[in-house]
Structure formats: structure tokens, C-alpha cells
Amino acid sequence: MGGGAERKGRRAAASRRCGSSSSEEEEEERAGGAPEDVPRGHFVVYVGANRRRFVLPIAFLDRPDFRRLLRQAEEEFGFKHRMGLTIPCDELAFRSLLLLA
């Protein structure tokens, strides 16, 4: 018991030793768990040149405009990278999309 937590701790420690500059939230997401500040039924995306972090309800996955952004993200970045789910969209444009919800 506790093996998963031990592996997660070892991965985080190894990442820090290798000079990783990622945040704890991104580290947890890569390890397969959600960060503690993400409520159940929500997910995290990073948007814009500054990779601003947004916590969104999973209902967004049903919205056609958001699905288009996900397809663009897949084309531009793929989904197998170590940067979290990154949306290729200007932050201001993304915020306006949120207001339409």
C-alpha cells in the first residue's frame, strides 16, 4: 500500500534534481492526478503566450467552440507533451469564449 504515492514522490524528487522548472500543479497533472485546487468535475487548460491557467467545468467539453480549440491544440501541440493541456488561443479571445457560456 502507498506504492503510488511513493512513486509520485520519487518522480517529483527526480524532476527537481534534474532542474525541472515546472510548477507543482503541472507535475501532478503529468503524474496522472489532478491538482488539489481543481474541484471534482473540472479540468485545467493553459492559454496564450503566457500559459495562463484556467480551471473549467467538464461541461465545456460539450461545447462546439471549445471542441474546435481542442482540435487546434491537438494539431499544434499533440496531446503527448509535458506542458499540460495547452490551448492555442489568445487569452483575451479565450476569456470572451468563457463569457458566452
Side-chain angles (χ1 to χ4, degrees), residues 68-94:
R68 276 191 297 277
L69 288 174
L70 287 177
R71 280 193 293 277
Q72 289 175 357
E74 181 181 25
E75 290 171 7
E76 188 165 329
F77 304 112
F79 289 128
K80 292 187 177 184
H81 60 79
R82 300 188 79 145
M83 300 184 322
L85 180 53
T86 303
I87 303 295
C89 181
D90 177 71
E91 186 179 334
L92 203 53
F94 188 78

Side-chain angles (χ1 to χ4, degrees), residues 3 6 10 14 27 38 48-51 58-59 66 71 78 90 93 100:
E6 290 174 12
R10 284 195 301 266
E27 183 66 35
V38 178
N50 293 325
R51 293 185 26 84
I58 59 171
F66 189 75
R71 280 193 293 277
D90 177 71
L100 299 174

